[in-house]
């Protein structure tokens, strides 16, 4: 990795971690689900889908892609917190909430990654 790419990942990681902290503070966990964690994971999936499609194009800039994808999305999303939250819900006997939260996180994340990729692909075709 070049020094420029490493700096891009570091700066992106710092911004992503700050964004995650802010969203989790604004959307705290309730008795049902940890809304902030769900929001950052779904947003990160959408953005990463978009960025992956952009990286496949000939115009992709590696440091930017690494900074936004690996750095920002990597520290924005928190699938380790997702697992802990699902385990906590299950341990507390809230099996339905645990299963629903896991299903929405995984299926929603996959769907939003595909939407992000489709938006980038559509945008690329529309640009001459």
């Amino acid at each position: 990795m070049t020094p420029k790419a490493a700096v891009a990942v570091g700066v992106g990681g710092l911004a992503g971690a700050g964004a995650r902290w802010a969203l989790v503070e604004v959307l705290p966990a309730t008795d049902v689900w940890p809304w902030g964690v769900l929001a950052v994971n779904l947003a990160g999936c959408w953005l990463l889908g978009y960025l992956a499609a952009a990286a496949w194009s000939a115009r992709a800039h590696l440091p930017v892609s690494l900074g936004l994808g690996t750095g920002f999305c990597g520290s924005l999303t928190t699938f380790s917190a997702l697992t802990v939250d699902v385990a906590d819900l299950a341990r507390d006997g809230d099996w339905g909430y645990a299963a629903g939260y896991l299903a929405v996180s995984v299926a929603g994340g996959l769907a939003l990654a595909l939407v992000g990729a489709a938006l980038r692909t559509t945008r690329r075709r529309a640009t001459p």
Side-chain angles (χ1 to χ4, degrees):
M1 178 181 297
T2 67
K4 186 176 181 178
V7 168
V9 170
V11 169
L14 182 63
R20 175 171 26 117
W21 174 82
L23 277 169
V24 169
E25 287 296 311
V26 170
L27 299 169
T30 64
D31 290 341
V32 181
W33 284 350
W35 294 103
V37 172
L38 180 64
V40 296
N41 285 340
L42 293 178
C45 287
W46 176 83
L47 182 57
L48 198 53
Y50 185 90
L51 293 171
W56 295 325
S57 75
R59 293 183 227 159
H61 300 288
L62 185 60
V64 173
S65 294
L66 287 172
L68 291 174
T70 303
F72 184 80
C73 289
S75 65
L76 173 69
T77 58
T78 175
F79 284 95
S80 58
L82 163 70
T83 358
V84 169
D85 292 336
V86 169
D88 286 346
L89 287 167
R91 183 197 64 225
D92 293 343
D94 296 324
W95 290 95
Y97 288 140
Y101 178 57
L102 182 60
V104 167
S105 295
V106 173
L110 179 58
L112 285 170
L114 293 172
V115 167
L119 286 174
R120 172 59 184 156
T121 303
T122 302
R123 182 175 168 256
R124 188 179 49 180
R125 283 189 208 141
T127 305

